[in-house]
Amino acid sequence: MVLPWKRPRACRRVSKATLLENGNSEMELMTVPAHFRCPISLDLMKDPVTLPSGITYDRENIERWIESGNRTCPVTNQALGSFEQIPNHAIRRMIQDWCVQHRSLGIERIPTPRIPVAPRDVSGICSKILEATQRGDQRKCQELVEKLKAWGRESERNKRCIAENGAGYVLSVSFDFFASLSIEMHVSLLEKTLSALTWMFPLGAEGRSVLGSPSSLRCMAWFLEGEDLTSRQNAVVALKELLSSDQKHVSSFAEIDGVEESLVRMIKEQISPAATKAALMAIYHMISPSNTREKTASRFVELGLVSLVLEILVGSERSVAEKALGVLDSICNYGQGIEKARHHALTMPVLVKKILRVSNLATDFSVSIIWKLCRGEDGGDQQVEAVQLRAFPKMLVCYRLVVGREQRRRPLSC
């Protein structure tokens, strides 16, 4: 049985003139056997696998089906006792032969797929990494970490499999061990390990505890001070994850000399949106009142953080704006921070503009900051400026919206 061919994404366009030159119609030439199509998507299969039910599917489609919570075969509706997917090499070779036969029509041969990583493969590598770490074998550890990273580059599925089978904890142990020995002597291994860890977040409690050790935090601070942009970004992404999970990590990191300068420099240079957002989140956790003394916030103010944040807010996208406003709101809890914000020309115009224009969270932060600026005897000038910029009508609208939401949540009375 044959069905009309639905051109796959990988295929190049074929002009009608080319088809007519061969003396056949487009429909007659562009046909494909039905058993080459995935029953789910009806597209040509690129990586055919067979379930225990005996039905063959494209791996990507059946994995998406299973990950959605389905526990039956899509065709037979048979309950699956096992989700093992056996590569169907016979069908795959037939599909490749068919593509070669029709390449004159612009159909490209599908590449032979790589076998995805299995949990037992990840467990085996992790055991070897732990053994090499205990021996202090840097060369072997680096070789095994490179292998994990190579698997992760092949597909997102491989990354999930690696992260779900304990690799994050193992790499944290290895990172902490070699960082405690000597950062300079093991810098290449530490860079590669931290790079792999960034796509395994969030870590479990044990992994966070190990990676949040003083030696590991000092290593990340060392990377932040360096010139390698990739290492700096990986370090700040890891720090954001750690500082948001435990106040002890915040205290330990804040005690390291020069970390405030490194984080401000990261925001100033804006090497990437991910790095900027991670740096803002790290600073936010460091200056939250429950986590730090005023000295840390004062140091950030001295380094020009208020001006940097306001400049970012002028033209930032939603996610960055929310984080920048969160930092500004926290820093305005301290006398030196609010004084600096009051004397900056951009403060009130930027805050008023962000109300009701970015997100509910950004609005909440903006209103909170305006209230802090206007309160007290020193807030008279800010009150006048807020009135001139029509901040209070916007704030009244915010209040009505909040009241409306609360009233809709209340149960109806009998």
Side-chain angles (χ1 to χ4, degrees):
M1 175 184 177
V2 293
L3 294 173
W5 165 246
K6 181 182 178 182
R7 194 169 299 152
R9 295 175 185 173
C11 294
R12 296 190 297 266
R13 289 184 176 274
V14 183
S15 66
K16 290 186 177 181
T18 303
L19 295 172
L20 293 174
E21 286 176 4
N22 295 328
N24 294 307
S25 69
E26 183 176 1
M27 187 60 71
E28 289 175 337
L29 289 174
M30 301 298 286
T31 57
V32 59
H35 56 284
F36 289 178
R37 293 174 178 267
C38 175
I40 296 176
S41 66
L42 298 182
D43 288 333
L44 186 70
M45 290 187 286
K46 299 176 182 177
D47 187 6
V49 293
T50 303
L51 294 185
S53 61
I55 306 298
T56 298
Y57 301 90
D58 193 36
R59 187 188 294 276
E60 181 182 353
N61 294 323
I62 193 60
E63 284 183 347
R64 191 180 299 118
W65 169 269
I66 294 171
E67 288 171 2
S68 298
N70 298 293
R71 296 294 179 264
T72 59
C73 173
V75 171
T76 66
N77 205 30
Q78 172 186 345
L80 297 172
S82 168
F83 300 109
E84 183 180 7
Q85 300 164 22
I86 302 172
N88 194 327
H89 298 297
I91 287 290
R92 189 252 306 159
R93 283 192 290 267
M94 292 169 65
I95 293 173
Q96 289 176 325
D97 292 341
W98 181 86
C99 290
V100 171
Q101 292 170 7
H102 294 80
R103 62 186 174 187
S104 61
L105 302 178
I107 299 173
E108 297 178 355
R109 179 182 182 274
I110 62 168
T112 301
R114 294 178 179 271
I115 299 175
V117 175
R120 62 178 177 273
D121 300 324
V122 179
S123 299
I125 290 287
C126 288
S127 299
K128 292 178 181 178
I129 291 176
L130 286 176
E131 292 171 2
T133 299
Q134 292 170 358
R135 297 193 306 270
D137 189 343
Q138 176 186 356
R139 185 189 63 79
K140 186 63 176 177
C141 273
Q142 189 161 329
E143 176 186 321
L144 294 170
V145 171
E146 285 285 12
K147 190 169 185 178
L148 276 181
K149 291 181 66 178
W151 282 348
R153 284 192 295 267
E154 290 179 6
S155 67
E156 290 298 318
R157 180 195 180 281
N158 282 358
K159 283 187 177 181
R160 291 196 301 271
C161 182
I162 292 169
E164 292 168 0
N165 286 277
Y169 170 73
V170 170
L171 292 182
S172 298
V173 170
S174 180
F175 184 86
D176 180 55
F177 178 83
F178 287 103
S180 64
L181 295 179
S182 170
I183 298 174
E184 290 81 0
M185 291 179 61
H186 305 100
V187 62
S188 179
L189 170 61
L190 292 168
E191 285 176 341
K192 289 178 170 58
T193 304
L194 190 60
S195 174
L197 277 167
T198 55
W199 47 264
M200 298 183 190
F201 293 133
L203 299 176
E206 291 183 345
R208 291 196 302 270
S209 177
V210 173
L211 197 61
S213 68
S215 56
S216 294
L217 291 174
R218 281 195 298 272
C219 181
M220 293 179 210
W222 188 85
F223 282 135
L224 279 180
E225 293 176 1
E227 298 300 326
D228 186 86
L229 298 183
T230 302
S231 297
R232 289 170 61 197
Q233 175 169 314
N234 291 336
V236 77
V237 168
L239 284 168
K240 180 215 44 168
E241 189 70 24
L242 292 171
L243 300 185
S244 64
S245 64
D246 197 326
Q247 295 184 15
K248 292 186 296 184
H249 301 330
V250 176
S251 301
S252 299
F253 184 67
E255 292 174 359
I256 302 173
D257 293 335
V259 294
E260 294 92 349
E261 289 85 347
S262 298
L263 289 172
V264 170
R265 176 189 170 204
M266 182 75 70
I267 295 175
K268 186 180 297 184
E269 295 180 0
Q270 297 191 39
I271 61 177
S272 73
T276 300
K277 288 187 278 190
L280 287 169
M281 287 303 299
I283 293 173
Y284 174 78
H285 292 297
M286 289 179 69
I287 63 178
S288 295
S290 60
N291 292 339
T292 187
R293 299 186 299 273
E294 188 170 356
K295 184 176 73 172
T296 304
S298 298
R299 181 59 183 150
F300 278 119
V301 173
E302 292 170 2
L303 292 169
L305 180 62
V306 173
S307 297
L308 280 175
V309 168
L310 289 170
E311 290 169 11
I312 288 174
L313 284 169
V314 171
S316 59
E317 50 95 5
R318 182 183 63 82
S319 181
V320 175
E322 289 175 347
K323 293 170 177 59
L325 286 167
V327 169
L328 189 58
D329 183 50
S330 292
I331 214 163
C332 282
N333 289 318
Y334 304 97
Q336 191 172 350
I338 198 166
E339 189 67 21
K340 195 73 173 179
R342 280 172 173 164
H343 287 85
H344 199 289
L346 282 176
T347 303
M348 192 62 71
V350 167
L351 293 174
V352 174
K353 185 176 181 180
K354 296 302 176 183
I355 297 176
L356 298 174
R357 296 191 59 177
V358 180
S359 67
N360 289 337
L361 181 60
T363 296
D364 291 344
F365 278 134
S366 299
V367 172
S368 173
I369 299 168
I370 291 173
W371 176 76
K372 292 173 184 177
L373 293 172
C374 293
R375 67 180 178 178
E377 296 179 357
D378 298 329
D381 292 341
Q382 281 65 46
Q383 294 174 15
V384 172
E385 188 176 8
V387 170
Q388 291 173 343
L389 293 170
R390 299 186 59 80
F392 295 111
K394 282 190 170 186
M395 294 169 71
L396 181 60
V397 172
C398 295
Y399 173 75
R400 288 176 175 173
L401 290 174
V402 171
V403 171
R405 285 198 298 267
E406 292 299 323
Q407 287 178 343
R408 287 193 293 271
R409 290 174 185 169
R410 292 177 186 170
L412 293 175
S413 57
C414 298

